[in-house]
């Protein structure tokens, strides 16, 4: 019988923890490493899991190629790259996230939330990436263009609003169904609490359930633009977000 482990997810409280410590509690049948606590984000909600390396007491390293969830969202499995040494149960490790990659994903994820404020329509799909992210909306209004959406995004980024998190109960979410923007994906209920990501003081600009990692103020997103708006159906539009300014004549 498979036993589900609970990993303390340090990234939920502090997205800027690039280094942390963890103790090995299990190695699964595929060689995945499960720790008592981790700063490595596990793939979910459209955001890829972290990569990086674990440092052992003798200075040797174990390269981590992926981070995923196991039997439950709270069981976090670190998948070593091929040919890596296997740590011992009870061994203490220093965990190093590939920080430049993670920080780009944090900036992108926050940009996706800002886009959902500019386009207040049901979200039908989303994926956060290092170079490009996408958000799909049921969007009946043809007046949204790459130029005007990019301009509004940059206004929100430059306004430098705070980004924070807070926890609410299942009941509070049930009483405020408008918090959920995704048409197809429901936030995980049943644990008794749901994590909200707030933009602006007390979520004045946006407030939505999200387990992902975000920057702490909008200006950290930096220069960003809508590279493309694709028609995916009669009313479905895919917005592609890219770093950098909108190319002239794009």
């Amino acid at each position: 019988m498979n036993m589900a482990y609970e990993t303390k997810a340090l990234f939920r409280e502090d997205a800027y923890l690039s280094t942390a410590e963890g103790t090995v509690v299990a190695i699964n049948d595929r060689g995945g490493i499960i720790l008592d606590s981790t700063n490595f984000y596990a793939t979910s909600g459209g955001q890829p899991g972290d990569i990086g390396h674990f440092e052992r007491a003798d200075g040797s390293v174990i390269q981590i190629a992926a981070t995923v969830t196991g039997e439950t969202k709270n069981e976090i499995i670190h998948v070593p790259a091929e040919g890596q040494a296997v740590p011992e149960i009870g061994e203490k490790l220093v965990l190093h996230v590939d920080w430049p990659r993670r920080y780009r994903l944090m900036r992108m994820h926050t940009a996706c939330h800002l886009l959902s404020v500019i386009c207040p329509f049901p979200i039908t799909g989303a994926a956060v990436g290092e170079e490009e992210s996408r958000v799909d909306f049921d969007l009946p209004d043809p007046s949204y263009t790459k130029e005007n959406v990019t301009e509004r995004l940059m206004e929100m980024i430059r306004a430098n609003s705070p980004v924070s998190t807070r926890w609410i109960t299942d009941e509070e979410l049930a009483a405020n169904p408008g918090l959920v923007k995704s048409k197809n994906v429901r936030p995980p209920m049943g644990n008794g609490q749901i994590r909200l990501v707030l933009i602006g003081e007390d979520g004045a600009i946006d407030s939505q359930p999200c387990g992902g990692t975000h920057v702490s103020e909008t200006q950290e997103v930096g220069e960003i633009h809508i590279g493309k708006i694709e028609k995916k159906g009669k009313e479905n539009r895919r917005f592609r977000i890219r770093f950098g300014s909108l190319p002239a004549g794009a």
Side-chain angles (χ1 to χ4, degrees):
M1 185 178 129
N2 282 346
M3 179 180 167
Y5 292 89
E6 289 253 333
T7 307
K8 186 173 169 56
L10 303 171
F11 54 81
R12 285 192 191 131
E13 302 303 331
D14 184 0
Y16 288 83
L17 211 55
S18 62
T19 303
E21 290 184 353
T23 301
V24 180
V25 294
I27 307 289
N28 73 10
D29 51 10
R30 292 190 298 272
I33 302 166
I34 302 167
L35 305 166
D36 63 343
S37 63
T38 186
N39 54 336
F40 277 59
Y41 181 81
T43 302
S44 63
Q47 180 177 330
D50 283 322
I51 62 174
H53 67 273
F54 294 168
E55 188 182 344
R56 307 180 79 181
D58 65 3
S60 66
V61 301
I62 299 167
Q63 297 293 339
I64 300 301
T67 309
V68 296
T69 52
E71 298 285 311
T72 69
K73 282 271 190 203
N74 292 325
E75 183 180 81
I76 296 175
I77 299 166
H78 308 83
V79 182
E82 211 158 312
Q84 299 297 298
V86 179
E88 304 287 327
I89 305 293
E91 186 175 340
K92 282 189 164 47
L93 302 167
V94 181
L95 324 174
H96 299 271
V97 165
D98 177 337
W99 179 249
R101 175 180 178 273
R102 157 76 92 75
Y103 190 54
R104 286 175 80 83
L105 292 169
M106 285 164 58
R107 291 164 58 204
M108 275 291 199
H109 203 151
T110 302
C112 290
H113 281 225
L114 292 174
L115 179 61
S116 76
V117 175
I118 295 165
C119 302
F121 302 99
I123 294 169
T124 57
V128 181
E130 293 169 70
E131 304 302 329
E132 179 182 274
S133 298
R134 65 168 177 82
V135 185
D136 302 347
F137 297 96
D138 268 346
L139 191 151
D141 183 348
S143 69
Y144 287 81
T145 65
K146 288 188 302 186
E147 293 74 20
N148 63 28
V149 174
T150 295
E151 194 176 319
R152 290 186 62 193
L153 268 175
M154 286 312 303
E155 278 170 15
M156 294 179 87
I157 289 164
R158 291 188 190 109
N160 203 23
S161 304
V163 183
S164 59
T165 60
R166 77 180 177 92
W167 295 86
I168 61 168
T169 62
D170 289 356
E171 291 72 29
E172 283 177 274
L173 183 65
N176 294 282
L179 290 171
V180 181
K181 298 188 177 191
S182 175
K183 196 171 170 180
N184 310 330
V185 183
R186 310 308 293 168
M189 305 275 282
N191 291 333
Q193 54 175 8
I194 289 126
R195 182 177 181 261
L196 289 185
V197 170
L198 314 177
I199 300 176
E201 296 296 339
D202 293 326
I205 295 167
D206 188 46
S207 182
Q208 60 180 294
C210 179
T213 58
H214 291 268
V215 293
S216 63
E217 47 190 25
T218 58
Q219 75 174 4
E220 286 183 62
V221 172
E223 195 79 41
I224 210 149
H225 68 278
I226 300 299
K228 210 182 240 185
I229 301 174
E230 297 167 22
K231 193 169 179 172
K232 287 288 166 189
K234 191 167 165 227
E235 290 193 343
N236 204 253
R237 298 290 180 274
R238 173 168 292 174
F239 286 69
R240 294 192 177 277
I241 306 175
R242 294 171 187 160
F243 283 123
S245 52
L246 187 66

mmCIF file of all heavy atoms in Angstrom, residues 10-51:
data_model
loop_
_atom_site.group_PDB
_atom_site.id
_atom_site.type_symbol
_atom_site.label_atom_id
_atom_site.label_comp_id
_atom_site.label_asym_id
_atom_site.label_seq_id
_atom_site.Cartn_x
_atom_site.Cartn_y
_atom_site.Cartn_z
ATOM 1 N N LEU A 10 7.268 25.229 1.905
ATOM 2 C CA LEU A 10 7.785 26.524 2.356
ATOM 3 C C LEU A 10 7.483 27.643 1.359
ATOM 4 O O LEU A 10 7.334 28.795 1.736
ATOM 5 C CB LEU A 10 9.296 26.424 2.595
ATOM 6 C CG LEU A 10 9.737 25.339 3.594
ATOM 7 C CD1 LEU A 10 11.249 25.189 3.588
ATOM 8 C CD2 LEU A 10 9.237 25.658 5.003
ATOM 9 N N PHE A 11 7.370 27.283 0.072
ATOM 10 C CA PHE A 11 7.143 28.301 -0.973
ATOM 11 C C PHE A 11 5.770 28.960 -0.841
ATOM 12 O O PHE A 11 5.551 30.049 -1.363
ATOM 13 C CB PHE A 11 7.282 27.686 -2.374
ATOM 14 C CG PHE A 11 6.420 26.480 -2.610
ATOM 15 C CD1 PHE A 11 5.077 26.612 -2.933
ATOM 16 C CD2 PHE A 11 6.945 25.190 -2.481
ATOM 17 C CE1 PHE A 11 4.275 25.502 -3.131
ATOM 18 C CE2 PHE A 11 6.148 24.067 -2.680
ATOM 19 C CZ PHE A 11 4.808 24.228 -3.001
ATOM 20 N N ARG A 12 4.828 28.308 -0.137
ATOM 21 C CA ARG A 12 3.479 28.893 -0.007
ATOM 22 C C ARG A 12 3.500 30.143 0.860
ATOM 23 O O ARG A 12 2.697 31.044 0.687
ATOM 24 C CB ARG A 12 2.503 27.868 0.606
ATOM 25 C CG ARG A 12 2.108 26.801 -0.394
ATOM 26 C CD ARG A 12 0.935 25.949 0.072
ATOM 27 N NE ARG A 12 0.796 24.806 -0.814
ATOM 28 C CZ ARG A 12 0.677 23.545 -0.428
ATOM 29 N NH1 ARG A 12 0.652 23.264 0.859
ATOM 30 N NH2 ARG A 12 0.551 22.576 -1.300
ATOM 31 N N GLU A 13 4.430 30.176 1.810
ATOM 32 C CA GLU A 13 4.532 31.344 2.699
ATOM 33 C C GLU A 13 5.620 32.309 2.242
ATOM 34 O O GLU A 13 5.539 33.498 2.522
ATOM 35 C CB GLU A 13 4.812 30.900 4.144
ATOM 36 C CG GLU A 13 3.756 29.962 4.730
ATOM 37 C CD GLU A 13 2.345 30.549 4.711
ATOM 38 O OE1 GLU A 13 2.204 31.786 4.774
ATOM 39 O OE2 GLU A 13 1.374 29.762 4.616
ATOM 40 N N ASP A 14 6.655 31.801 1.568
ATOM 41 C CA ASP A 14 7.759 32.666 1.132
ATOM 42 C C ASP A 14 8.267 32.211 -0.233
ATOM 43 O O ASP A 14 9.055 31.274 -0.337
ATOM 44 C CB ASP A 14 8.896 32.630 2.162
ATOM 45 C CG ASP A 14 10.032 33.582 1.816
ATOM 46 O OD1 ASP A 14 9.936 34.282 0.775
ATOM 47 O OD2 ASP A 14 11.026 33.627 2.572
ATOM 48 N N ALA A 15 7.806 32.913 -1.268
ATOM 49 C CA ALA A 15 8.185 32.546 -2.645
ATOM 50 C C ALA A 15 9.646 32.879 -2.938
ATOM 51 O O ALA A 15 10.187 32.429 -3.944
ATOM 52 C CB ALA A 15 7.277 33.272 -3.638
ATOM 53 N N TYR A 16 10.288 33.674 -2.064
ATOM 54 C CA TYR A 16 11.663 34.130 -2.328
ATOM 55 C C TYR A 16 12.720 33.245 -1.671
ATOM 56 O O TYR A 16 13.906 33.566 -1.694
ATOM 57 C CB TYR A 16 11.820 35.577 -1.854
ATOM 58 C CG TYR A 16 11.084 36.546 -2.747
ATOM 59 C CD1 TYR A 16 9.720 36.770 -2.577
ATOM 60 C CD2 TYR A 16 11.731 37.204 -3.787
ATOM 61 C CE1 TYR A 16 9.027 37.633 -3.409
ATOM 62 C CE2 TYR A 16 11.048 38.071 -4.625
ATOM 63 C CZ TYR A 16 9.696 38.280 -4.426
ATOM 64 O OH TYR A 16 9.016 39.123 -5.261
ATOM 65 N N LEU A 17 12.283 32.139 -1.086
ATOM 66 C CA LEU A 17 13.205 31.224 -0.423
ATOM 67 C C LEU A 17 13.923 30.393 -1.483
ATOM 68 O O LEU A 17 13.437 29.347 -1.891
ATOM 69 C CB LEU A 17 12.381 30.323 0.503
ATOM 70 C CG LEU A 17 12.999 29.795 1.781
ATOM 71 C CD1 LEU A 17 13.540 30.919 2.642
ATOM 72 C CD2 LEU A 17 11.952 28.997 2.556
ATOM 73 N N SER A 18 15.090 30.869 -1.935
ATOM 74 C CA SER A 18 15.798 30.146 -3.005
ATOM 75 C C SER A 18 16.596 28.970 -2.439
ATOM 76 O O SER A 18 16.894 28.009 -3.141
ATOM 77 C CB SER A 18 16.722 31.092 -3.766
ATOM 78 O OG SER A 18 17.714 31.612 -2.911
ATOM 79 N N THR A 19 16.925 29.042 -1.141
ATOM 80 C CA THR A 19 17.675 27.970 -0.467
ATOM 81 C C THR A 19 16.950 27.618 0.830
ATOM 82 O O THR A 19 16.458 28.517 1.515
ATOM 83 C CB THR A 19 19.119 28.438 -0.149
ATOM 84 O OG1 THR A 19 19.736 28.843 -1.359
ATOM 85 C CG2 THR A 19 19.937 27.332 0.477
ATOM 86 N N ALA A 20 16.886 26.323 1.125
ATOM 87 C CA ALA A 20 16.241 25.881 2.370
ATOM 88 C C ALA A 20 16.865 24.553 2.780
ATOM 89 O O ALA A 20 17.743 24.022 2.092
ATOM 90 C CB ALA A 20 14.734 25.730 2.171
ATOM 91 N N GLU A 21 16.411 24.014 3.896
ATOM 92 C CA GLU A 21 16.895 22.710 4.349
ATOM 93 C C GLU A 21 15.725 21.743 4.444
ATOM 94 O O GLU A 21 14.599 22.148 4.744
ATOM 95 C CB GLU A 21 17.580 22.838 5.707
ATOM 96 C CG GLU A 21 18.903 23.577 5.619
ATOM 97 C CD GLU A 21 19.646 23.624 6.951
ATOM 98 O OE1 GLU A 21 19.054 23.187 7.963
ATOM 99 O OE2 GLU A 21 20.790 24.090 6.968
ATOM 100 N N GLY A 22 16.003 20.489 4.174
ATOM 101 C CA GLY A 22 14.970 19.464 4.283
ATOM 102 C C GLY A 22 15.598 18.135 4.654
ATOM 103 O O GLY A 22 16.782 17.893 4.383
ATOM 104 N N THR A 23 14.795 17.282 5.285
ATOM 105 C CA THR A 23 15.254 15.945 5.674
ATOM 106 C C THR A 23 14.505 14.912 4.833
ATOM 107 O O THR A 23 13.295 15.016 4.661
ATOM 108 C CB THR A 23 14.977 15.705 7.173
ATOM 109 O OG1 THR A 23 15.673 16.715 7.921
ATOM 110 C CG2 THR A 23 15.453 14.337 7.621
ATOM 111 N N VAL A 24 15.233 13.924 4.338
ATOM 112 C CA VAL A 24 14.635 12.882 3.496
ATOM 113 C C VAL A 24 13.732 11.997 4.359
ATOM 114 O O VAL A 24 14.179 11.434 5.358
ATOM 115 C CB VAL A 24 15.730 12.018 2.821
ATOM 116 C CG1 VAL A 24 15.102 10.932 1.954
ATOM 117 C CG2 VAL A 24 16.674 12.896 1.989
ATOM 118 N N VAL A 25 12.447 11.881 3.974
ATOM 119 C CA VAL A 25 11.541 10.995 4.720
ATOM 120 C C VAL A 25 11.231 9.716 3.935
ATOM 121 O O VAL A 25 10.846 8.708 4.507
ATOM 122 C CB VAL A 25 10.224 11.700 5.128
ATOM 123 C CG1 VAL A 25 10.500 12.807 6.131
ATOM 124 C CG2 VAL A 25 9.462 12.256 3.931
ATOM 125 N N ALA A 26 11.392 9.770 2.596
ATOM 126 C CA ALA A 26 11.109 8.569 1.791
ATOM 127 C C ALA A 26 11.731 8.702 0.406
ATOM 128 O O ALA A 26 11.975 9.814 -0.080
ATOM 129 C CB ALA A 26 9.600 8.364 1.654
ATOM 130 N N ILE A 27 11.992 7.550 -0.208
ATOM 131 C CA ILE A 27 12.352 7.474 -1.627
ATOM 132 C C ILE A 27 11.286 6.579 -2.246
ATOM 133 O O ILE A 27 11.101 5.443 -1.797
ATOM 134 C CB ILE A 27 13.755 6.827 -1.839
ATOM 135 C CG1 ILE A 27 14.838 7.518 -0.990
ATOM 136 C CG2 ILE A 27 14.120 6.808 -3.324
ATOM 137 C CD1 ILE A 27 15.240 8.903 -1.422
ATOM 138 N N ASN A 28 10.564 7.071 -3.259
ATOM 139 C CA ASN A 28 9.487 6.224 -3.800
ATOM 140 C C ASN A 28 10.028 5.191 -4.789
ATOM 141 O O ASN A 28 11.225 5.154 -5.082
ATOM 142 C CB ASN A 28 8.334 7.078 -4.380
ATOM 143 C CG ASN A 28 8.687 7.759 -5.696
ATOM 144 O OD1 ASN A 28 9.722 7.494 -6.312
ATOM 145 N ND2 ASN A 28 7.824 8.656 -6.134
ATOM 146 N N ASP A 29 9.134 4.343 -5.288
ATOM 147 C CA ASP A 29 9.588 3.219 -6.122
ATOM 148 C C ASP A 29 10.174 3.663 -7.460
ATOM 149 O O ASP A 29 10.787 2.875 -8.166
ATOM 150 C CB ASP A 29 8.450 2.198 -6.330
ATOM 151 C CG ASP A 29 7.169 2.850 -6.820
ATOM 152 O OD1 ASP A 29 7.206 4.051 -7.177
ATOM 153 O OD2 ASP A 29 6.123 2.166 -6.829
ATOM 154 N N ARG A 30 10.006 4.946 -7.800
ATOM 155 C CA ARG A 30 10.620 5.456 -9.038
ATOM 156 C C ARG A 30 11.833 6.318 -8.753
ATOM 157 O O ARG A 30 12.337 7.018 -9.632
ATOM 158 C CB ARG A 30 9.582 6.236 -9.850
ATOM 159 C CG ARG A 30 8.469 5.335 -10.420
ATOM 160 C CD ARG A 30 7.603 6.087 -11.410
ATOM 161 N NE ARG A 30 6.913 7.208 -10.777
ATOM 162 C CZ ARG A 30 5.719 7.103 -10.184
ATOM 163 N NH1 ARG A 30 5.094 5.945 -10.147
ATOM 164 N NH2 ARG A 30 5.135 8.148 -9.644
ATOM 165 N N GLY A 31 12.273 6.303 -7.504
ATOM 166 C CA GLY A 31 13.479 7.062 -7.142
ATOM 167 C C GLY A 31 13.218 8.510 -6.761
ATOM 168 O O GLY A 31 14.161 9.280 -6.547
ATOM 169 N N GLY A 32 11.934 8.889 -6.682
ATOM 170 C CA GLY A 32 11.596 10.259 -6.291
ATOM 171 C C GLY A 32 11.891 10.502 -4.817
ATOM 172 O O GLY A 32 11.659 9.637 -3.970
ATOM 173 N N ILE A 33 12.416 11.681 -4.510
ATOM 174 C CA ILE A 33 12.828 12.015 -3.140
ATOM 175 C C ILE A 33 11.721 12.833 -2.468
ATOM 176 O O ILE A 33 11.281 13.859 -3.000
ATOM 177 C CB ILE A 33 14.149 12.821 -3.158
ATOM 178 C CG1 ILE A 33 15.253 12.017 -3.858
ATOM 179 C CG2 ILE A 33 14.562 13.212 -1.738
ATOM 180 C CD1 ILE A 33 16.491 12.837 -4.217
ATOM 181 N N ILE A 34 11.281 12.366 -1.300
ATOM 182 C CA ILE A 34 10.254 13.073 -0.533
ATOM 183 C C ILE A 34 10.900 13.588 0.759
ATOM 184 O O ILE A 34 11.581 12.840 1.464
ATOM 185 C CB ILE A 34 9.054 12.153 -0.222
ATOM 186 C CG1 ILE A 34 8.468 11.619 -1.543
ATOM 187 C CG2 ILE A 34 7.984 12.897 0.570
ATOM 188 C CD1 ILE A 34 7.491 10.476 -1.392
ATOM 189 N N LEU A 35 10.701 14.881 1.028
ATOM 190 C CA LEU A 35 11.333 15.538 2.175
ATOM 191 C C LEU A 35 10.272 15.986 3.178
ATOM 192 O O LEU A 35 9.082 16.058 2.851
ATOM 193 C CB LEU A 35 12.100 16.778 1.695
ATOM 194 C CG LEU A 35 13.136 16.552 0.588
ATOM 195 C CD1 LEU A 35 13.562 17.883 -0.015
ATOM 196 C CD2 LEU A 35 14.346 15.819 1.141
ATOM 197 N N ASP A 36 10.723 16.305 4.386
ATOM 198 C CA ASP A 36 9.767 16.808 5.384
ATOM 199 C C ASP A 36 9.331 18.233 5.059
ATOM 200 O O ASP A 36 8.217 18.648 5.376
ATOM 201 C CB ASP A 36 10.337 16.710 6.810
ATOM 202 C CG ASP A 36 11.591 17.570 7.007
ATOM 203 O OD1 ASP A 36 12.222 17.983 6.002
ATOM 204 O OD2 ASP A 36 11.956 17.818 8.181
ATOM 205 N N SER A 37 10.219 19.003 4.402
ATOM 206 C CA SER A 37 9.861 20.358 3.971
ATOM 207 C C SER A 37 10.674 20.712 2.734
ATOM 208 O O SER A 37 11.769 20.171 2.526
ATOM 209 C CB SER A 37 10.106 21.373 5.092
ATOM 210 O OG SER A 37 11.468 21.416 5.419
ATOM 211 N N THR A 38 10.117 21.616 1.910
ATOM 212 C CA THR A 38 10.812 21.981 0.667
ATOM 213 C C THR A 38 10.444 23.385 0.221
ATOM 214 O O THR A 38 9.342 23.872 0.495
ATOM 215 C CB THR A 38 10.492 20.987 -0.467
ATOM 216 O OG1 THR A 38 11.301 21.302 -1.596
ATOM 217 C CG2 THR A 38 9.022 21.049 -0.895
ATOM 218 N N ASN A 39 11.396 24.029 -0.466
ATOM 219 C CA ASN A 39 11.131 25.314 -1.133
ATOM 220 C C ASN A 39 10.915 25.106 -2.634
ATOM 221 O O ASN A 39 10.733 26.055 -3.380
ATOM 222 C CB ASN A 39 12.303 26.280 -0.909
ATOM 223 C CG ASN A 39 13.639 25.696 -1.330
ATOM 224 O OD1 ASN A 39 13.816 24.472 -1.375
ATOM 225 N ND2 ASN A 39 14.604 26.544 -1.630
ATOM 226 N N PHE A 40 10.925 23.844 -3.096
ATOM 227 C CA PHE A 40 10.713 23.524 -4.514
ATOM 228 C C PHE A 40 9.218 23.463 -4.810
ATOM 229 O O PHE A 40 8.499 22.670 -4.195
ATOM 230 C CB PHE A 40 11.354 22.169 -4.861
ATOM 231 C CG PHE A 40 12.829 22.227 -5.168
ATOM 232 C CD1 PHE A 40 13.737 22.710 -4.234
ATOM 233 C CD2 PHE A 40 13.322 21.777 -6.385
ATOM 234 C CE1 PHE A 40 15.103 22.749 -4.508
ATOM 235 C CE2 PHE A 40 14.684 21.803 -6.673
ATOM 236 C CZ PHE A 40 15.578 22.292 -5.736
ATOM 237 N N TYR A 41 8.762 24.268 -5.756
ATOM 238 C CA TYR A 41 7.351 24.285 -6.150
ATOM 239 C C TYR A 41 7.063 23.058 -7.012
ATOM 240 O O TYR A 41 7.842 22.718 -7.905
ATOM 241 C CB TYR A 41 7.051 25.566 -6.944
ATOM 242 C CG TYR A 41 5.607 25.685 -7.382
ATOM 243 C CD1 TYR A 41 4.639 26.131 -6.495
ATOM 244 C CD2 TYR A 41 5.204 25.341 -8.672
ATOM 245 C CE1 TYR A 41 3.307 26.234 -6.875
ATOM 246 C CE2 TYR A 41 3.872 25.440 -9.063
ATOM 247 C CZ TYR A 41 2.936 25.890 -8.159
ATOM 248 O OH TYR A 41 1.627 25.972 -8.533
ATOM 249 N N ALA A 42 5.935 22.404 -6.742
ATOM 250 C CA ALA A 42 5.544 21.227 -7.526
ATOM 251 C C ALA A 42 4.559 21.629 -8.617
ATOM 252 O O ALA A 42 3.670 22.442 -8.371
ATOM 253 C CB ALA A 42 4.908 20.185 -6.614
ATOM 254 N N THR A 43 4.730 21.082 -9.815
ATOM 255 C CA THR A 43 3.876 21.402 -10.962
ATOM 256 C C THR A 43 2.403 21.386 -10.579
ATOM 257 O O THR A 43 1.903 20.378 -10.091
ATOM 258 C CB THR A 43 4.088 20.369 -12.091
ATOM 259 O OG1 THR A 43 5.462 20.381 -12.457
ATOM 260 C CG2 THR A 43 3.240 20.697 -13.314
ATOM 261 N N SER A 44 1.714 22.509 -10.776
ATOM 262 C CA SER A 44 0.254 22.568 -10.609
ATOM 263 C C SER A 44 -0.231 23.949 -10.992
ATOM 264 O O SER A 44 0.549 24.914 -11.023
ATOM 265 C CB SER A 44 -0.178 22.237 -9.168
ATOM 266 O OG SER A 44 0.332 23.180 -8.266
ATOM 267 N N GLY A 45 -1.524 24.039 -11.299
ATOM 268 C CA GLY A 45 -2.138 25.320 -11.614
ATOM 269 C C GLY A 45 -1.528 26.015 -12.817
ATOM 270 O O GLY A 45 -1.513 27.242 -12.889
ATOM 271 N N GLY A 46 -0.976 25.232 -13.743
ATOM 272 C CA GLY A 46 -0.390 25.828 -14.941
ATOM 273 C C GLY A 46 1.037 26.298 -14.768
ATOM 274 O O GLY A 46 1.670 26.751 -15.717
ATOM 275 N N GLN A 47 1.574 26.210 -13.532
ATOM 276 C CA GLN A 47 2.964 26.635 -13.289
ATOM 277 C C GLN A 47 3.860 25.404 -13.192
ATOM 278 O O GLN A 47 3.580 24.492 -12.413
ATOM 279 C CB GLN A 47 3.067 27.458 -12.001
ATOM 280 C CG GLN A 47 4.500 27.933 -11.712
ATOM 281 C CD GLN A 47 4.610 28.811 -10.476
ATOM 282 O OE1 GLN A 47 3.680 29.530 -10.124
ATOM 283 N NE2 GLN A 47 5.741 28.751 -9.798
ATOM 284 N N PRO A 48 4.957 25.364 -13.970
ATOM 285 C CA PRO A 48 5.861 24.206 -13.915
ATOM 286 C C PRO A 48 6.550 24.083 -12.559
ATOM 287 O O PRO A 48 6.778 25.085 -11.867
ATOM 288 C CB PRO A 48 6.903 24.506 -15.003
ATOM 289 C CG PRO A 48 6.342 25.624 -15.815
ATOM 290 C CD PRO A 48 5.397 26.373 -14.928
ATOM 291 N N GLY A 49 6.889 22.857 -12.203
ATOM 292 C CA GLY A 49 7.633 22.610 -10.966
ATOM 293 C C GLY A 49 9.070 23.093 -11.082
ATOM 294 O O GLY A 49 9.611 23.276 -12.173
ATOM 295 N N ASP A 50 9.698 23.272 -9.915
ATOM 296 C CA ASP A 50 11.076 23.769 -9.893
ATOM 297 C C ASP A 50 12.088 22.688 -10.253
ATOM 298 O O ASP A 50 11.848 21.489 -10.071
ATOM 299 C CB ASP A 50 11.412 24.309 -8.495
ATOM 300 C CG ASP A 50 10.799 25.669 -8.248
ATOM 301 O OD1 ASP A 50 10.770 26.485 -9.190
ATOM 302 O OD2 ASP A 50 10.342 25.920 -7.121
ATOM 303 N N ILE A 51 13.227 23.156 -10.748
ATOM 304 C CA ILE A 51 14.411 22.322 -10.923
ATOM 305 C C ILE A 51 15.523 22.952 -10.081
ATOM 306 O O ILE A 51 15.355 24.057 -9.567
ATOM 307 C CB ILE A 51 14.823 22.210 -12.415
ATOM 308 C CG1 ILE A 51 15.184 23.590 -12.983
ATOM 309 C CG2 ILE A 51 13.709 21.576 -13.240
ATOM 310 C CD1 ILE A 51 15.743 23.548 -14.406
#
